[in-house]
Amino acid sequence: LDHWGYRALLPLAGLSGIGSTLTFFSLMRKVPITMADPSQQTMSAWKIFRTDSRMPFYLSGVFLFGLGALMASPLYPIIQVDRLNLSYTIVGLLGFVQSLFWFLGYLFGGRILDRIGGIRSLQIVFTINALVILPYIWATQGWLLLPSFIAAGLVTAGADLAILYTVSNLAGPEHVPAYAALNSTISGFRGLFGPLIGSLLVSIGWNYWAVFALSAFLTLAGAVVLVGAAKTNKSYS
């Protein structure tokens, strides 16, 4: 970007995406088509809420975590460019650090999940996510954002693994599609409004630090709400 600009980078990224699509297409042609098991019972969202008291706590926690993360996301480039004047090279190096810890998160995340379970793993991920947000309040130089990028890599990997694990565990073997659909619906809802709320707060006069503080508070609140899901036990036969 520093040398050739986005006009060179974006076509390369597009070609990479096309290559990835073709690779997966060739792989999926070899995978047999499977039909849904008619013996599995379908569940509506209302029935899930009515029969599983853990789901309101889980979904509320995930919603607060995602809302906090997304509210802050439109402000990150503003701090990086307008306040810190970071070059593309510096942002790229920080992104490399994030990707490294993203990889390490996948490498060790599964072992942690097996040891402490999905809910507790999510509580850790949500708490770490506050470390993604808070450095933007006091950063005066680019290197002060290093903890944020490290935490972002861990959170991306941890949330990816722990949410899939937790949804499958909450659903049991019979209702994974219904639970996964409800989880995706809530995630889409927060994704629709989260960035807009952050931008709206700035437009009505909130300081950037106040939006970051609120975002960090929401993601920590999500970790606290998950306590309700951890304390509510339900077994499947």
Side-chain angles (χ1 to χ4, degrees):
L1 283 170
D2 282 335
H3 290 281
W4 296 299
Y6 65 89
R7 288 183 177 85
L9 178 66
L10 293 183
L12 290 175
L15 290 174
S16 176
I18 293 173
S20 176
T21 301
L22 294 175
T23 300
F24 276 101
F25 179 75
S26 64
L27 290 173
M28 294 305 296
R29 291 181 61 184
K30 302 176 183 179
V31 177
I33 298 176
T34 58
M35 302 297 293
D37 187 354
S39 65
Q40 290 187 342
Q41 298 179 355
T42 59
M43 294 184 70
S44 65
W46 170 246
K47 186 176 181 180
I48 293 174
F49 281 120
R50 185 164 50 86
T51 59
D52 192 344
S53 59
R54 303 166 303 172
M55 283 301 286
F57 291 104
Y58 165 76
L59 291 174
S60 297
V62 170
F63 181 83
L64 290 171
F65 154 72
L67 185 64
L70 292 168
M71 280 175 52
S73 61
L75 307 183
Y76 295 154
I78 297 175
I79 301 299
Q80 294 170 6
V81 176
D82 292 349
R83 179 183 296 176
L84 303 179
N85 298 312
L86 301 183
S87 66
Y88 289 127
T89 300
I90 297 300
V91 174
L93 289 173
L94 290 171
F96 170 78
V97 173
Q98 177 177 330
S99 298
L100 175 62
F101 280 86
W102 190 346
F103 168 77
L104 293 175
Y106 278 127
L107 190 62
F108 298 104
R111 300 178 185 178
I112 296 174
L113 275 170
D114 287 337
R115 292 180 180 178
I116 66 176
I119 295 295
R120 290 184 179 179
S121 295
L122 282 177
Q123 288 177 307
I124 294 173
V125 169
F126 292 0
T127 301
I128 295 175
N129 191 60
L131 299 178
V132 178
I133 303 167
L134 291 176
Y136 282 87
I137 295 178
W138 55 72
T140 56
Q141 298 180 17
W143 68 269
L144 291 174
L145 292 180
L146 187 60
S148 175
F149 280 81
I150 292 173
L154 296 175
V155 167
T156 304
D160 191 14
L161 291 172
I163 286 176
L164 289 173
Y165 180 99
T166 304
V167 169
S168 300
N169 185 261
L170 291 173
E174 298 295 328
H175 306 298
V176 171
Y179 275 64
L182 180 56
N183 179 80
S184 297
T185 300
I186 296 299
S187 298
F189 184 75
R190 79 187 183 196
L192 182 63
F193 292 102
L196 294 177
I197 293 174
S199 301
L200 177 63
L201 291 176
V202 172
S203 69
I204 63 175
W206 280 47
N207 291 320
Y208 293 151
W209 70 263
V211 178
F212 289 135
L214 176 61
S215 299
F217 171 79
L218 289 175
T219 191
L220 291 174
V224 174
V225 169
L226 286 181
V227 173
K231 288 184 176 181
T232 305
N233 296 318
K234 182 176 180 179
S235 60
Y236 294 89
S237 59

